[in-house]
Amino acid sequence: MLKRILHPFQDVLLQRKLCVGCTFPLDKANRIGILTKNSDLVECKCKRRYVFDRKLGQYRRASLQEEQQYLKNLKK
Ligand SMILES: [Zn+2]
């Protein structure tokens, strides 16, 4: 029951481009790297990572796979 309430709330925060953990504006968060041609990886000051979709102009939580993909790219 609690999860049903929490998840839409996180979506609302992301739609407003705010971190779901600390509500810091993600537009001011640290852009740590390019993930794909159309998306950037962003790290909030609370260390949560997000993917910014440049086509949609929206943020979403980065998956573990995406974080690993980014780290792999760093080593090249
Ligand atoms: Zn945060």
Side-chain angles (χ1 to χ4, degrees):
M1 194 65 182
L2 199 60
K3 273 191 175 174
R4 282 187 162 211
I5 297 166
L6 280 174
H7 279 291
F9 182 62
Q10 293 197 350
D11 290 344
V12 169
L13 287 176
L14 283 177
Q15 277 164 19
R16 292 181 186 175
K17 300 179 179 178
L18 301 173
C19 173
V20 301
C22 66
T23 68
F24 185 76
L26 290 172
D27 285 337
K28 292 178 190 165
N30 200 6
R31 210 142 290 217
I32 59 173
I34 293 166
L35 194 64
T36 68
K37 206 167 55 150
N38 293 312
S39 60
D40 296 329
L41 196 65
V42 173
E43 187 178 76
C44 182
K45 58 180 183 178
C46 70
K47 301 295 177 196
R48 282 178 177 80
R49 283 174 182 170
Y50 298 89
V51 174
F52 178 67
D53 188 312
R54 267 182 262 159
K55 269 187 183 168
L56 300 172
Q58 280 184 344
Y59 291 91
R60 58 180 173 79
R61 292 294 298 270
S63 69
L64 199 63
Q65 274 179 333
E66 285 165 336
E67 290 191 16
Q68 281 168 351
Q69 184 192 332
Y70 166 71
L71 292 173
K72 215 163 67 185
N73 287 344
L74 274 189
K75 286 173 192 165
K76 274 179 192 167

